[in-house]
Amino acid sequence: MNPEIENSIYNFLQNQITDTPLSLNNELFNMGKKFNHRDEFNEITPFIDEFLEGNNVNRYIVLPGLRGVGKTTILFQVYDYLLNQKNINPEEILYFSCEELDKIYDCDIFETIKFYLKKFHNTLLQTLNKKIFLLIDESHFDKDWSISGKLINDKSKNIFMILTGSSAIKLEYHAEAARRMIRYPITPLNYSQHLKLKYDFQTDVSNDLVDLLFNGNVDNAILKEQQLNHDLLNLRNYNSMDWDNYFKFGGFPSVMHDTNPRNAFKKLYYSVESVITKDLPTMTNLTSNTETKALRLIKFLAEKYPGDISQNALANKIKTSIGTVNTIMDLLEKTHLIFHTEPYSGPNARAKKSWQYYFATPSVMHAINLKFGFTSIKLSEYEGILLENLVASSLVNLKNSEKFFEFNIFYDSYKVKKQRVDFIIKKEFGDAIPIEVGRGDKDTFQIKDAMKRYKSPYGIIISDTTKTIVKEDNIIFLPIKTFSLL
């Protein structure tokens, strides 16, 4: 490392140590009110307490997630916790962003931490004899970040580190690193989390909604829903349009307090664009032409009706090869911007059928459409598509949370299109549960047909016109607003 670069890195780290404590108010407050904590923060702090008490087993934590979901805020909240509740010296807490460091030289987390320990603590990793906390943001700008974390973790038991990244791509390549870390995927906010962060309002309906979805039990969910609706009516500063704004512009703490929808949409689209222009290049060598094709692809996905679509059709639409489409789609899924569902069929048949794609939240899809102009789809149909995306993303986030049990989400691939339902969920060795999503009053023809075809004990209709949870015979009617609390 030449002296000029070394001096630049020293100054960068010195500024981080000096300035981070001073920036906490800007990062953790809005209009004089301190941000509430996401659940993940409350799961991380016990590991910090154990580490300070001498337990050095769980000290390598990774927070993967899409841009704007609140990963950086969690790091600042952890910093605040260390500084103001645990009285840790600021010189023993290092926060930095690999994206910023990458502007000085190619970010190498392992070399940077060795440099930090040598210059600021006069020690090596192997001889470090005091506790140090590393809070490293946008770690994916170091292509070997998971190995860097593994080496730091292995060489010193006196370092506690949290790394954030826009994807977990390297975990697939470095199994040894994966075994040493604790992962907390940071997903877009469901409506329960939104209410907690924005209004400090707590609800515990999630477990009861899971019971409704997978066991058909509605009694507890109905009681919780009644209490919830009553409490929201009396909640201070709660706006009756809050859910509608959450539906089209929410899910991301970065836009939660925007009162102007136009500002919110611009921020959301900038996050989407940054995934393409900043995050994808950290995963693989992309040309500017490929980035353009990626933007065209997400525009096409945002403006189409839900439905399975072949890679060949996508390639024709954006005028590129099937191989390029496969590469882009795979990378976009790893950034968590999009995800797919597979058809409900046997493994052999499933391999031959196309996948259905959805966005991380309906607000992402809506932001893309606002940027490029709405399609010719009627407004009522468009809002129905957004509702379907909300259900799909909520189910996927539930699956990825790993808080309950393993289950799979499929789309209905029955040969008669008008008889298909939107989703089928299934626990291992459990019954297939059909789910129909819609805007406006929904008839029961499709759900009854699917229940008969798949021998389901009950079916679920999620709609924006259903006001409260109702179970009629073996069909459960579930309001979309209540479902979004999942």
Side-chain angles (χ1 to χ4, degrees), residues 41 100 124 128 144 162 205 227 249 282 291 336 369 374 403 423 464:
F41 171 87
E100 293 180 14
L124 305 173
L128 179 65
D144 294 315
I162 305 176
V205 71
Q227 185 62 50
F249 300 100
T282 68
E291 290 181 13
H336 308 147
N369 278 316
F374 285 101
K403 292 180 180 178
F423 302 104
D464 66 339

Side-chain angles (χ1 to χ4, degrees), residues 148-163:
S148 292
K150 172 189 176 299
L151 291 173
I152 294 168
N153 183 77
D154 289 351
K155 290 182 179 295
S156 176
K157 296 186 183 300
N158 282 317
I159 290 181
F160 186 103
M161 58 185 163
I162 305 176
L163 279 66

